[in-house]
Amino acid sequence: MDTGFDPLTIRADFPVLAREVNGRPLVYLDNAASSQKPQVVLEAVAAFYRHHYAAVRRGVYTLSEEATAAYEEARDKVAAFINAPDRRSIVFTRNTTEAINLVAHTWGRANVGPGDRILVTEMEHHSNLLPWMLLCQEVGAELVYLPITDGGRLELPQLERLLDGPVRLVAVTHVSNVLGTVNPVQAIVAQAHAAGALVLVDAAQSVPHMPVDVGVLGCDFMAFSGHKMCGPTGCGVLYGRVELLEHMPPFLVGGGMIERVGFTGVSWASLPEKFEAGTPAIAEAVGLGAAVDYLERVGMEAIHAHEKALTAYAMESLAALPGVRLIGPPAEERSGVIAFTVASIHPHDLAYALDRQGIAIRAGLHCAQPLHERLGLAATARVSFYLYNTREEVERLVSAVWNAQRWLAG
Amino acid sequence: MEVLYCEHILDHYRYPRNEGVLEDADISHQRDNPLCGDMIRLDIRLKDGVVEEARFSGRGCVLSIAAASMLTEEIVGRSVAELEAYQDEDIFRLLGITLGPVRARCALLPLQVLKEGLSQLAR
């Protein structure tokens, strides 16, 4: 590739990648769950605590002014990263899960009533399923599923029929955390809007890995997590169109999110403070800002191309092993996530056997139990790539799976 | 070749003891491991308050299957009071290994099934 993208240079930015696990150099392949952190992010958090830390927004002293400026600068960076037109459309949450719960609790309870419908897909992570399931149960609405094919794609021809009715919201994942399928969100949004429904996009697996532009997607809400994109834990993002956020009631109430409180009444603070009650994860937001800077320096197009190439290589190599079954669509239709099974080896045993060889992968249901049920799978093993993974690591993965087959075969 | 599990664990996994169900069980209970969708069922027949026969069925990883197999051997001839006294450590003793918190949940699934089954017997 001619992008100047070199995973070996990038690896040097991530201190943990230098360590060994069980006597072997660590191969970290659980990036869909969480990513490792580059030195610049660790340093940004430490430097913020060392030099600028104080509570934000309320203090009139120098430290608090500096902390507030750093916190709000992180918001600007995130807004620019996803091309949000207005900084007020960026609400810091704990993570994707909290962002989606926020929308379900506030917009949902104000706008979804008996007989209304929420449309989700069969490939959703529990965090983009359970908030809607609970909302529907509470208000007497109906949860409707857009099916998937056996090959792990959305049944898009059924979308029009399913949108014909009182559908208030379509909640869809941009990239499946199990199948890796990249869904055509832009087309789904256009169809949903034409039918009068809003769209929330779970972008937990897309924003860290590819260029994402909320203007192009046209979605009404989008949620993602900082910790999956080189940022610290504890700081995620809800993007919402400002007109929608302005009319939504608050989520958590308390300090920092009011304009005025009297003995009998309250007026809420303006956006985005209205949705950030209590002292937020300030240093974590600053760290997320540093992560955004880092990813932009590397280049999201280059990261995406690198992961796609690794995924194609890994799928081809894994498929060549006897007994390996890959779940989901072909490489060209997916992001850097591969779920698979190995005949007569339980995914937990496989993950354990790989860990003995220094390789970290995920095994289980990946918080997507209905999807596994739909595909008739008890559990799967999953590898997921990021910018610092290499072809050599894919080769170590493949020979480690081969070893596991020899060690565990009955 | 690297040793992943002790040979006796693999032996119980490959050749499980007491696999199956009992039609006339006094205790019959099953449970899922929400982490991975595994399921273990235990069927136990009692005679005069003592385990006469025990069977297990289900699906799982090496640890949960081996632990279930060992447990069904271990509890035959034991009284209900003895069953109630079983602790997590007894499973680790049977397996002969110590485990981290995540994998311990796999190994302890059969014991959890036994405990829940016993509490239903009490009711």
Side-chain angles (χ1 to χ4, degrees):
Chain A
M1 237 182 318
D2 200 20
T3 54
F5 184 92
D6 177 14
L8 292 181
T9 314
I10 284 166
R11 291 182 71 78
D13 297 334
F14 292 78
V16 76
L17 297 180
R19 74 163 278 186
E20 293 195 342
V21 169
N22 294 317
R24 305 289 306 277
L26 166 67
V27 176
Y28 183 77
L29 298 176
D30 195 17
N31 295 287
S34 200
S35 72
Q36 298 298 340
K37 320 303 174 196
Q39 185 69 27
V40 284
V41 168
L42 305 178
E43 273 167 13
V45 174
F48 177 73
Y49 275 129
R50 230 177 250 135
H51 303 296
H52 308 291
Y53 180 75
V56 288
R57 288 172 186 154
R58 289 298 189 260
V60 289
Y61 47 88
T62 302
L63 267 191
S64 179
E65 303 242 350
E66 288 177 9
T68 305
Y71 181 66
E72 295 303 330
E73 190 190 350
R75 193 188 311 278
D76 290 331
K77 287 176 180 176
V78 169
F81 190 61
I82 59 168
N83 200 24
D86 191 327
R87 64 188 317 280
R88 294 176 301 158
S89 61
I90 303 297
V91 176
F92 284 131
T93 62
R94 271 195 308 145
N95 44 39
T96 305
T97 300
E98 189 176 89
I100 297 173
N101 273 274
L102 188 159
V103 178
H105 275 266
T106 63
W107 177 87
R109 273 150 189 79
N111 292 281
V112 181
D116 285 343
R117 288 183 200 150
I118 303 279
L119 181 62
V120 296
T121 82
E122 287 182 341
M123 66 167 75
E124 296 310 312
H125 186 285
H126 294 163
S127 57
N128 198 26
L129 174 62
L130 298 182
W132 310 117
M133 195 184 278
L134 253 64
L135 172 68
C136 287
Q137 285 170 4
E138 273 181 43
V139 305
E142 190 188 355
L143 189 66
V144 186
Y145 290 86
L146 177 62
I148 60 167
T149 65
D150 293 339
R153 301 177 185 91
L154 293 177
E155 285 268 22
L156 287 174
Q158 294 200 34
L159 183 58
E160 192 177 347
R161 177 181 64 78
L162 290 168
L163 282 169
D164 183 18
V167 178
R168 303 306 315 270
L169 180 84
V170 177
V172 60
T173 190
H174 196 177
V175 172
S176 163
N177 73 309
V178 178
L179 306 163
T181 314
V182 182
N183 290 321
V185 167
Q186 200 180 338
I188 293 170
V189 169
Q191 249 181 294
H193 282 176
L198 299 185
V199 179
L200 178 140
V201 177
D202 173 356
Q205 301 296 344
S206 62
V207 165
H209 300 282
M210 60 181 73
V212 174
D213 183 324
V214 289
V216 170
L217 293 181
C219 58
D220 302 284
F221 299 106
M222 192 167 85
F224 54 99
S225 295
H227 71 89
K228 291 188 206 283
M229 51 189 283
C230 300
T233 52
C235 184
V237 177
L238 171 68
Y239 158 82
R241 282 201 292 116
V242 167
E243 316 85 88
L244 292 167
L245 293 177
E246 270 177 341
H247 290 100
M248 281 155 54
F251 179 36
L252 302 174
V253 294
M257 48 75 69
I258 50 89
E259 186 180 78
R260 185 175 186 287
V261 179
F263 283 104
T264 55
V266 55
S267 54
W268 308 120
S270 54
L271 293 175
E273 284 84 4
K274 182 170 82 173
F275 293 109
E276 294 181 0
T279 298
I282 308 164
E284 289 79 0
V286 171
L288 175 56
V292 164
D293 286 343
Y294 178 78
L295 291 173
E296 282 186 330
R297 246 187 343 266
V298 177
M300 294 309 294
E301 287 285 2
I303 291 171
H304 187 47
H306 172 67
E307 289 177 21
K308 281 197 74 93
L310 276 186
T311 303
Y313 182 49
M315 286 179 75
E316 188 190 324
S317 312
L318 285 170
L321 292 174
V324 170
R325 178 187 161 201
L326 304 178
I327 316 297
E332 53 273 21
E333 289 175 50
R334 66 164 90 199
S335 180
V337 179
I338 307 168
F340 63 102
T341 58
V342 181
S344 75
I345 299 183
H346 189 286
H348 270 187
D349 294 316
L350 181 67
Y352 177 64
L354 296 190
D355 180 60
R356 300 311 301 166
Q357 302 170 78
I359 303 174
I361 71 158
R362 181 56 67 99
L365 299 167
H366 322 300
C367 299
Q369 201 161 359
L371 172 64
H372 279 75
E373 195 181 308
R374 161 66 182 82
L375 295 174
L377 299 163
T380 53
R382 181 187 72 185
V383 298
S384 48
F385 301 111
Y386 210 6
L387 68 167
Y388 38 68
N389 292 122
T390 64
R391 283 174 71 90
E392 189 216 339
E393 289 182 315
V394 170
E395 283 149 20
R396 273 190 57 197
L397 167 74
V398 172
S399 62
V401 172
W402 171 244
N403 285 336
Q405 287 178 306
R406 287 189 300 131
W407 296 341
L408 288 165
Chain B
M1 183 190 292
E2 177 154 342
V3 178
L4 269 193
Y5 296 109
C6 322
E7 199 45 51
H8 81 286
I9 293 178
L10 281 176
D11 189 62
H12 274 270
Y13 174 69
R14 288 171 182 154
Y15 313 104
R17 327 295 199 260
N18 305 311
E19 200 175 13
V21 295
L22 293 174
E23 296 303 330
D24 53 348
D26 297 292
I27 299 170
S28 183
H29 188 66
Q30 70 175 56
R31 187 175 229 294
D32 294 340
N33 180 349
L35 202 64
C36 52
D38 288 354
M39 187 276 284
I40 294 289
R41 168 175 159 173
L42 282 180
D43 289 331
I44 297 169
R45 191 171 63 243
L46 301 169
K47 191 177 181 188
D48 304 328
V50 170
V51 177
E52 191 179 42
E53 202 169 359
R55 293 257 192 278
F56 85 93
S57 53
R59 56 166 192 266
C61 61
V62 169
L63 288 177
S64 57
I65 296 297
S69 172
M70 290 173 185
L71 191 64
T72 53
E73 280 194 330
E74 165 81 10
I75 62 178
V76 172
R78 307 270 183 192
S79 69
V80 168
E82 283 176 303
L83 298 191
E84 281 168 347
Y86 272 99
Q87 302 292 323
D88 296 355
E89 289 68 34
D90 294 307
I91 300 298
F92 299 143
R93 176 177 52 77
L94 287 172
L95 290 166
I97 49 174
T98 52
L99 293 164
V102 179
R103 291 240 67 193
R105 282 162 69 176
C106 306
L108 295 173
L109 181 61
L111 180 63
Q112 208 179 347
V113 175
L114 175 65
K115 294 284 182 178
E116 288 173 0
L118 286 169
S119 70
Q120 289 177 0
L121 183 72
R123 264 187 264 131

